Amino acid sequence: MLGTGLIGLFYTATLHGGRNRDRVHLVYSRSEERARAFADEHGVPNWSTDLEEAVSHPEVDTVIVGLPNHLHEEAIELAARSGKAILCTKPLARSAAEAKRILDTVEQAGVFAGYLEDLCYTPKTLKAMKMVQGGSVGSVTWARSRETHPGPHSAWFWDEQQAGGGAIVDLGCHCIEIVRNFVGKDNRPLEVVCWTDTLVHPISAEDNAIALIRFESGAIGQFEVSWTFRGGMDLRDEVAGTEGTIWLNHFLRTGFEAFTSGAGGGYVAEKAETESGWLFPVGDEVAELGYVDMFADMFDSMDAGRQPMETFYDGYVVNAIIDACYRSAESKRWEPVELEDWRGAGVERIGRERREHDGKTVIKQETMPDGRLKLILKDEETGEFVDVVTEAETPVGA
Amino acid sequence: MLGTGLIGLFYTATLHGGRNRDRVHLVYSRSEERARAFADEHGVPNWSTDLEEAVSHPEVDTVIVGLPNHLHEEAIELAARSGKAILCTKPLARSAAEAKRILDTVEQAGVFAGYLEDLCYTPKTLKAMKMVQGGSVGSVTWARSRETHPGPHSAWFWDEQQAGGGAIVDLGCHCIEIVRNFVGKDNRPLEVVCWTDTLVHPISAEDNAIALIRFESGAIGQFEVSWTFRGGMDLRDEVAGTEGTIWLNHFLRTGFEAFTSGAGGGYVAEKAETESGWLFPVGDEVAELGYVDMFADMFDSMDAGRQPMETFYDGYVVNAIIDACYRSAESKRWEPVELEDWRGAGVERIGRERREHDGKTVIKQETMPDGRLKLILKDEETGEFVDVVTEAETPVGA
Amino acid sequence: MLGTGLIGLFYTATLHGGRNRDRVHLVYSRSEERARAFADEHGVPNWSTDLEEAVSHPEVDTVIVGLPNHLHEEAIELAARSGKAILCTKPLARSAAEAKRILDTVEQAGVFAGYLEDLCYTPKTLKAMKMVQGGSVGSVTWARSRETHPGPHSAWFWDEQQAGGGAIVDLGCHCIEIVRNFVGKDNRPLEVVCWTDTLVHPISAEDNAIALIRFESGAIGQFEVSWTFRGGMDLRDEVAGTEGTIWLNHFLRTGFEAFTSGAGGGYVAEKAETESGWLFPVGDEVAELGYVDMFADMFDSMDAGRQPMETFYDGYVVNAIIDACYRSAESKRWEPVELEDWRGAGVERIGRERREHDGKTVIKQETMPDGRLKLILKDEETGEFVDVVTEAETPVGA
Amino acid sequence: MLGTGLIGLFYTATLHGGRNRDRVHLVYSRSEERARAFADEHGVPNWSTDLEEAVSHPEVDTVIVGLPNHLHEEAIELAARSGKAILCTKPLARSAAEAKRILDTVEQAGVFAGYLEDLCYTPKTLKAMKMVQGGSVGSVTWARSRETHPGPHSAWFWDEQQAGGGAIVDLGCHCIEIVRNFVGKDNRPLEVVCWTDTLVHPISAEDNAIALIRFESGAIGQFEVSWTFRGGMDLRDEVAGTEGTIWLNHFLRTGFEAFTSGAGGGYVAEKAETESGWLFPVGDEVAELGYVDMFADMFDSMDAGRQPMETFYDGYVVNAIIDACYRSAESKRWEPVELEDWRGAGVERIGRERREHDGKTVIKQETMPDGRLKLILKDEETGEFVDVVTEAETPVGA
């Protein structure tokens, strides 16, 4: 386990949680104090402040990178050289170029490499993806992912140099990959338009951003990220398709609602801004945020010799979309997503099937209260639109 | 009452509803059959198929325009010439140029003119605006308005010529004005970026669109409109500010939830796509959609000799933003909102107040579980970011 | 308008609200100061501290009783003697005996008498009743009504002598009548079991109560009332039937959600316990609580010479059920509802239709994932239960 | 694993799920066909149709009883004789007498015994209990647990002889134990009043029941169970206390909402009654229903040599309460809970602290909009209640 910050904590809590059979054997930190404290608290037998020593420790078969963004490349290079399996936290890198170098490194070394994109693994997201893949919503036309909160907990996130950007790099990377999983990973991201601004905090990186991503099928992805949201952490995804809709809420409205006058005085809800009034806790945060299913997929895939759901290639695509977002925020126009290495199979345009009635195009049909069918028709020759009520009770072409 | 479509119906139901003291005295339709039927059904004493006759009828003191978009200008001109008060449904016109001519017409005639933007008058929206104006959410940073459903009920909506566009003209006009009310009407809309596509229906107008509107204060407005949404009618607004958040749901989740096996067989919920399974009706649709409060404001303002909350000038600004949306969808870049007549007072940029601790900029502060204060600080000289835990228990500068 | 408390305020706000055509012509209070102040604030032309003078004032055609419970009988007697129409707030009386005398008074005087049970008139409740009456939920098996908050605003509510009881008399009267509307007013209430306790407040009346009401059809009604609830006002109704379910939420979750840091400092949500954190306002409180539709029904019924939905007879039945509740709380057993005057038509027992398969009773059937039908059957001779999977794909007897 | 029904399936899925280190070594069924099929499907190395052989198999260290209720006692006796740890599904027995014999058996044998009450272990319930224990809601005054669905999947549940009852035995056992965990296990259940009826299904056992349980502290527990609910599975718990409120929703509203036209045709949501329209799936059903945390507690407790959260003693108390429910349904009065073996420590009555102002009892205090304090006071000598507005801005006695 490289890193002892919040993410190292979540990862270790997950690996050591429940009746799990996996264990952290060594923890690395740049600070000896933090390494020792972390090892003590979590029952980790070894600790180190030497990165090379850590990744090549004989009891370690998998290196988990939970370091600040600017340290990913070096750590992965060292781990790949040791031939260890590598799991890297999000985002993979600070830019598509850096991500591509990382991807090349692990592919050349031939080691197992998994991208720790936890929010694609939440139980709700996994089931929703299965519904989408099973056709429950038809062709996806729109996917929106929103992650907003009042700002990150560690200093390095706020430093554009170390992080590689602001709220987009921190939160947008999740949203982009959620959107890709819903519209389909074979669906090439073509271009992006993005707004960013620094509205509240005294920093140079963006504290708010919204982007639209246009995919090959015509589907549109949308992300909204913010470090200035008030009210806790807002984590919601929405998918619309030709046959259905899915709404997911991962945090503030999950069926757990509590009011307290503030009595008891203890910690009552994660990321809540207040300790009294109405609070909306999450049952099992580590499970609800996807950590449990993510590591199960990673280790099961490793054991089975197959690729995990989220790979370093996915991390690279995310970085390429982020790069396009920053270019668009600058140029104030749609910018192409530049992918020198596109591995998707390609998809068809969302269908616009034409149905006819009396030689005219059926625009819409509704069943009226009396059971008759109302049609809105277009005469393609004259371009005229008319309402027609038919006696037929069964839908045309259905 | 000019027009006997769905909107004429809603308006008349509102005016004749409850213990209301206002009455429709005459109904006009282009079709004699519809005019007669409407007058009969709603107890309206007079009907006409002659527009000029209708607007100048002696018992009429207010002309309500509920006609398709391309007929607004002519009707308003005739009504203004008769010196009658005029209430016009949304959108005011098909373009800013047409809207400006209409605005000039009523202003030159000196008649009372109200813009029937019902969704700005829903009881929830009115109370939320009051909260925003009272400072409950601080400076508004973001306002999102979403209106999506499976497509309109009358043929003319689908005809780009008559309507002046697709889902933006039909639904986006609501969203834009809701956003303006939340960010403040003195807050000039500067520029717009917009995506449109025709993903599902066999028409030339857009059936899906998303736009971002950047305002003078830095606030961003966002609208999402669709004629391809599945699941009923999705009407939601969200506002984020430096001090708070508001979420409004006007249709599918309003505290009324019903499951039915389909027994009974009757009409159970408005705009529902199914008649069995889980349904989400609205209590009093006419009240919840703002019609009651809208007409109360219109007639009370008329009686009191003051401007209503929503004026023809607002309708003109909406059209100017819509024009910019269509230009942006074409040019694929941000486009300025062109307002030859801007009447807003102007607003300040959203504040980014700088606080200091030990000569460094305070980026964020959090109270830790043990009561101590954690600060993230930036050294403006070196550009470095650090975490500091202080012994002070009271927030710095608070 | 007799009374200047919270209820007089709500009533007057409703009558003078929107574009309403009805007006309060006189206000009566036992205190001259309150009468004057109320008249001034609400533009009421006359005031009085003499009850007899007030009810017989020549400009008054309807007397609205908004007084504490122990003053209802006297006020109604005087009003009935003057031949005026009478509308009385809930509960009608403090006991069934008192209610019966009041009922006899107005029936002998032959005056119009309406029971102001606002919560039966909320737009959601009205629509839900229509769904139930239309058969959407089949036969009602269970109706639950819950009203809880931290306690009433005026001193007399807390005094058992003046009020006639505690939370049951204050809140349970609403719940009972909501339940009756859902199970059907022809459905005779047979018996009641009730728990009461004084858990928190230093009073002799109950501050918490729960009761079950068994009706002739077999349906069970349930109410939960409390003066010790924390978190605002919880107003929810639920109905279950053989074909469906309805859930209504009138207050804390109505599609209006707000978080505020407390900035602005103003009044943000009715009956909220805090002014910061997550708040759940109601759009238009007077409309959502049923006042608007209630008075519309009352005056429309009066104009049309028909009975309103809620009559003094209903008020009497409610008091008879409350009496049974108090007897049950005392005797710790089910107590009969004593109704010397029952006017309902009577209803049938909830149906238990028996279906057969191979000579056995079908207990349950489910479609399995492979399309086959699984049946749980009972052999009535041997009493044995078995699972059977049939090849038939269509439900038996459907 | 004894039993191959739905519960055996859920248990095995949990034990073999994720990265769990525990494994099922043998499966027992009364039918060879089901035993073989189950072993094959779940990779269980051994199977048996001989109960004695199964529980004494050398590779087995823990016997999990997932059999119909009437087979628990025999299986537990055999397992206890083999000296194996025993985990038994809910309810422990069909009556308190049977439960007491089972309890005595395992205690005399000195084996580890855990009560598999999964719904007390849902992540939401565990966190809510921690909040309650930490004082967030003050003294619990009321706990309600509701479990309703359209009826169980296997024949034996419907047979009163095998099951020991109907919906109470099947579902009420969960509710009772949830309520006990919220009011505190040292809080003795004193008496019960219960309504049961068979409203819809052609069976002799109850298909609907509601009960109130009065505890030593004054707290009231409430359960609502039904086999006739329409709309899926309704699993909700609510807790009210002197300082707060908690609402939990485990199934139909958990932040996962989907609409589908029915395209795709697959399985979309567990226990949903329809495959189209609005559906409310659960993310990870096994985790959300508590199976994961339950087995973790059981095996961790076994390893650590401590008692699990839910013991056979708890199962016995539940059965004693169920017995009282059936007696009350029969006698139509409150019935005592008969516990020959009560191990709770006992608790105090919910506090009714008296505060004074000017020698009078403070009944309620509210801060008025102008900042002044309004008090409702009672003169204990005269018994009079008055409203007083004080100039003090700070709450009295706070």
Side-chain angles (χ1 to χ4, degrees), chain C residues 246-267:
Chain C
I246 294 174
W247 293 339
L248 304 181
N249 197 327
H250 301 288
F251 234 75
L252 287 171
R253 298 295 183 274
T254 63
F256 192 151
E257 319 189 351
F259 177 89
T260 176
S261 68
Y267 168 89

Side-chain angles (χ1 to χ4, degrees), chain A residues 141-142 144 146 150-156 158-160 191 193-195 197-204 210 212 214 217-220 222 224 228-231 234 236 238 240-245 247 252-253 331-334 349-354 361-364 366 374 376 378 380 383 385-387, chain B residues 141-142 144 146 150-156 158-160 191 193-195 197-204 210 212 214 217-220 222 224 228-231 234 236 238 240-245 247 252-253 331-334 349-354 361-364 366 374 376 378 380 383 385-387:
Chain A
T141 54
W142 172 76
R144 173 208 188 207
R146 174 174 173 83
H153 299 285
S154 290
W156 70 264
W158 300 86
D159 180 352
E160 216 168 354
E191 53 180 359
V193 73
C194 181
W195 162 83
D197 207 340
T198 311
L199 291 173
V200 175
H201 298 297
I203 53 170
S204 58
I210 301 172
L212 303 180
R214 206 166 63 76
S217 71
I220 200 84
Q222 173 179 338
E224 300 161 23
T228 69
F229 179 76
R230 301 303 305 270
D234 187 21
R236 279 179 292 163
E238 306 190 5
T242 52
E243 300 291 338
T245 299
W247 294 339
L252 287 171
R253 298 295 182 273
S331 72
K332 307 205 69 172
R333 54 185 314 140
W334 286 83
R349 168 89 187 172
I350 294 168
R352 282 196 269 168
E353 147 210 24
R354 184 175 171 271
T361 304
V362 177
I363 301 292
K364 202 192 177 199
E366 302 175 42
K374 178 180 167 185
I376 296 179
K378 182 183 178 189
E380 297 289 352
F385 290 76
V386 286
D387 295 319
Chain B
T141 53
W142 173 76
R144 174 208 188 207
R146 175 174 172 83
H153 298 286
S154 290
W156 71 264
W158 300 86
D159 180 352
E160 217 169 351
E191 54 180 358
V193 73
C194 181
W195 162 83
D197 207 338
T198 311
L199 291 173
V200 175
H201 298 297
I203 53 170
S204 58
I210 301 173
L212 303 180
R214 206 165 64 76
S217 70
I220 200 84
Q222 173 178 339
E224 301 161 22
T228 70
F229 178 76
R230 301 303 305 271
D234 187 20
R236 279 179 292 164
E238 305 189 5
T242 52
E243 300 291 337
T245 300
W247 294 339
L252 287 172
R253 298 296 182 273
S331 72
K332 307 205 69 171
R333 54 186 314 141
W334 286 83
R349 167 88 187 175
I350 294 168
R352 282 195 270 167
E353 145 210 25
R354 185 174 170 272
T361 305
V362 177
I363 302 292
K364 201 191 177 200
E366 301 175 41
K374 179 179 166 185
I376 297 179
K378 183 183 178 189
E380 296 290 352
F385 290 76
V386 286
D387 295 319

Side-chain angles (χ1 to χ4, degrees), chain B residues 231-233 251-283, chain C residues 124 127-128 131-132 135-137 243-248, chain D residues 230-231 253 257-260 274 276-280:
Chain B
M233 179 150 90
F251 234 75
L252 287 172
R253 298 296 182 273
T254 63
F256 192 153
E257 320 190 351
F259 177 89
T260 175
S261 68
Y267 168 91
V268 279
E270 51 282 21
K271 293 183 183 59
E273 289 205 66
T274 52
E275 285 169 9
S276 64
W278 280 102
L279 301 165
F280 300 88
V282 168
Chain C
K124 285 174 187 165
K127 191 172 281 183
M131 288 177 70
V132 169
S136 294
V137 304
E243 301 291 336
T245 299
I246 294 174
W247 293 339
L248 304 181
Chain D
R230 301 303 305 270
R253 299 294 183 274
E257 320 190 351
F259 177 89
T260 176
T274 53
S276 63
W278 280 101
L279 301 166
F280 299 88

Side-chain angles (χ1 to χ4, degrees), chain C residues 141-142 144 146 149-156 158-160 162 191 193-195 197-204 207-208 210-212 214 217-222 224 228-231 234 236 238 240-245 247 249 252-253 328 331-334 349-355 361-364 366 374 376-378 380 383-387, chain D residues 141-142 144 146 150-156 158-160 162 191 193-195 197-204 207-208 210-212 214 217-222 224 228-231 234 236 238-245 247 249 252-253 328 331-334 349-355 361-364 366 374 376-378 380 383-387:
Chain C
T141 53
W142 172 75
R144 174 208 189 207
R146 174 175 173 82
H149 59 53
H153 299 286
S154 290
W156 71 264
W158 300 85
D159 181 351
E160 216 169 353
Q162 291 180 72
E191 52 180 0
V193 73
C194 181
W195 162 84
D197 207 339
T198 311
L199 291 173
V200 176
H201 298 296
I203 54 171
S204 59
D207 59 15
N208 279 276
I210 301 173
L212 303 180
R214 206 167 63 77
S217 71
I220 198 87
Q222 172 179 340
E224 300 161 23
T228 69
F229 179 76
R230 302 303 306 269
D234 187 21
R236 280 179 292 164
E238 306 191 5
T242 52
E243 301 291 336
T245 299
W247 293 339
N249 197 327
L252 287 171
R253 298 295 183 274
S328 168
S331 71
K332 306 205 70 171
R333 54 186 313 140
W334 286 83
R349 167 89 187 174
I350 294 168
R352 283 195 269 168
E353 146 210 25
R354 184 174 171 271
R355 281 177 306 135
T361 305
V362 177
I363 302 291
K364 201 191 176 200
E366 301 175 42
K374 178 179 166 185
I376 296 179
L377 301 175
K378 182 183 177 189
E380 297 288 352
E384 244 189 333
F385 290 76
V386 285
D387 294 318
Chain D
T141 53
W142 171 76
R144 174 208 189 208
R146 174 174 173 84
H153 298 286
S154 290
W156 72 264
W158 301 86
D159 181 352
E160 216 170 352
Q162 291 179 73
E191 52 179 358
V193 73
C194 180
W195 161 83
D197 206 340
T198 311
L199 291 173
V200 176
H201 298 297
I203 53 171
S204 57
D207 58 15
N208 278 278
I210 302 173
L212 303 180
R214 205 166 63 76
S217 71
I220 199 87
Q222 172 179 340
E224 299 161 24
T228 69
F229 179 75
R230 301 303 305 270
D234 187 20
R236 279 179 291 163
E238 306 190 3
V239 182
T242 52
E243 300 291 337
T245 299
W247 294 338
N249 197 326
L252 287 171
R253 299 294 183 274
S328 168
S331 71
K332 306 204 71 172
R333 54 185 312 141
W334 286 82
R349 168 87 187 175
I350 294 168
R352 283 195 268 166
E353 146 209 26
R354 184 174 171 271
R355 280 176 305 134
T361 304
V362 177
I363 302 291
K364 201 190 177 200
E366 302 175 42
K374 178 179 167 185
I376 296 180
L377 301 174
K378 182 182 178 188
E380 297 289 352
E384 244 188 334
F385 290 76
V386 286
D387 295 319

Side-chain angles (χ1 to χ4, degrees), chain C residues 1-5 8 12 24-36 38-39 44 46-57 60 63-68 71 74-75 78:
Chain C
M1 178 68 56
L2 311 184
T4 54
T12 306
V24 176
H25 294 286
L26 180 148
V27 63
Y28 158 86
S29 171
R30 287 162 292 170
S31 134
E32 180 175 333
E33 187 195 344
R34 287 202 304 269
R36 267 182 196 283
F38 194 97
V44 176
N46 309 291
W47 60 266
S48 170
T49 59
D50 181 319
L51 190 55
E52 194 152 4
E53 184 190 86
V55 302
S56 55
H57 192 281
V60 166
V63 173
I64 301 181
V65 181
L67 299 167
L71 304 175
E74 184 196 353
L78 288 172

Side-chain angles (χ1 to χ4, degrees), chain B residues 71-82:
Chain B
L71 303 175
H72 290 188
E73 188 171 9
E74 185 197 352
I76 292 170
E77 265 171 19
L78 287 171
R81 222 175 289 156
S82 304

Side-chain angles (χ1 to χ4, degrees), chain D residues 356-376:
Chain D
E356 273 202 9
H357 179 83
D358 277 355
K360 289 170 189 152
T361 304
V362 177
I363 302 291
K364 201 190 177 200
Q365 61 185 40
E366 302 175 42
T367 304
M368 295 173 67
D370 61 4
R372 290 183 303 164
L373 199 66
K374 178 179 167 185
L375 297 172
I376 296 180

